[in-house]
Amino acid sequence: MALRKLREGNARFAANARGTGTLITAAGRAKLTATQEPIAIVLGCSDSRVPVELVFNQGPGDLFVIRVAGNIVAPSLIGSVEFAAERFGTRLVVVLGHSSCGAIAATIEELHRPTSNHSVNLRAIVDRILPGVEKIVARHESQGAQAVEHAAMTANVCASVDQLRHGSAVIESLIASDGLLVTGAWYSLETGRVEFLEETLPA
Ligand SMILES: [Zn+2]
């Protein structure tokens, strides 16, 4: 249901046919002062070209959004997912990567030309992406820069999905016994479309 809403919302966005769901009335705003029931938790990249609510054509109260460069998973981000899943009963988590991601490009660059120039803080992001993409980058090397970047981006989404699924006892238990789905997707800057990664969806 929530997944369908995201797919339909993105189809509206990509077709440039905005739904009225994103318009909020004073009554709608008043309702949200008391409570929230987001349909999905989205861990996306901070990239200015991937505004999560717009991309899924959703409005205030619809999505619990966490954004960090490279949609990486670190303790505070896991904590944010735990909080929303437990507090609001949201049962869908989407890790959203995207084409032309600067964090992925920086990581590939680091694999080719290791440098000590990064600040420790930027380093912390690249270091979280590296292990999940290293082998993939080597395997796709002969296919050109764009193929390498795409393969690394999707591998990084899968790695984040995996870390969310197994990096928290709370999330693990919600998946096992309470119907929580953690899945991955990527947004194409070129088409405006979000594609869900089949390998991260249940069979
Ligand atoms: Zn990015």
Side-chain angles (χ1 to χ4, degrees):
M1 182 64 173
L3 203 55
R4 205 184 71 209
K5 280 188 179 171
L6 294 188
R7 285 187 198 272
E8 289 173 355
N10 175 245
R12 285 193 301 273
F13 171 78
N16 208 14
R18 300 271 165 84
T20 51
T22 51
L23 298 173
I24 190 154
T25 59
R29 206 166 49 234
K31 207 172 136 209
L32 286 173
T33 59
T35 183
Q36 58 173 308
E37 284 176 45
I39 59 166
I41 300 162
V42 181
L43 172 63
C45 180
S46 303
D47 195 300
S48 66
R49 299 164 295 178
V50 195
V52 177
E53 285 89 347
L54 294 182
V55 158
F56 286 116
N57 192 223
Q58 301 297 314
D62 291 333
L63 301 177
F64 189 94
V65 179
I66 306 152
R67 288 175 71 177
V68 57
N71 39 272
I72 55 159
V73 170
S76 57
L77 308 166
I78 298 179
S80 302
V81 172
E82 286 178 352
F83 173 78
E86 281 203 306
R87 182 70 63 95
F88 310 126
T90 309
R91 287 297 171 264
L92 174 65
V93 179
V94 179
V95 175
L96 184 66
H98 68 98
S99 58
S100 307
C101 181
I104 295 295
T107 305
I108 294 171
E109 172 114 5
E110 179 65 24
L111 278 169
H112 291 150
R113 273 186 306 278
T115 162
S116 51
N117 283 343
H118 296 309
S119 80
V120 285
N121 304 305
L122 182 55
R123 179 96 239 164
I125 293 176
V126 169
D127 282 351
R128 284 193 188 271
I129 299 176
L130 255 178
V133 307
E134 207 164 2
K135 283 196 187 115
I136 299 282
V137 168
R139 207 177 308 149
H140 288 77
E141 209 71 86
S142 59
Q143 295 167 21
Q146 219 175 349
V148 170
E149 203 181 292
H150 183 78
M153 182 273 292
T154 54
N156 180 52
V157 169
C158 291
S160 286
V161 166
D162 202 55
Q163 285 159 31
L164 280 179
R165 282 179 181 163
H166 304 293
S168 149
V170 171
I171 295 173
E172 209 156 347
S173 137
L174 287 173
I175 291 171
S177 53
D178 218 352
L180 179 70
L181 173 66
V182 182
T183 188
W186 70 280
Y187 172 76
S188 163
L189 293 187
E190 293 76 14
T191 66
R193 291 205 166 272
V194 170
E195 204 169 299
F196 284 83
L197 296 171
E198 294 300 325
E199 61 266 44
T200 66
L201 284 166

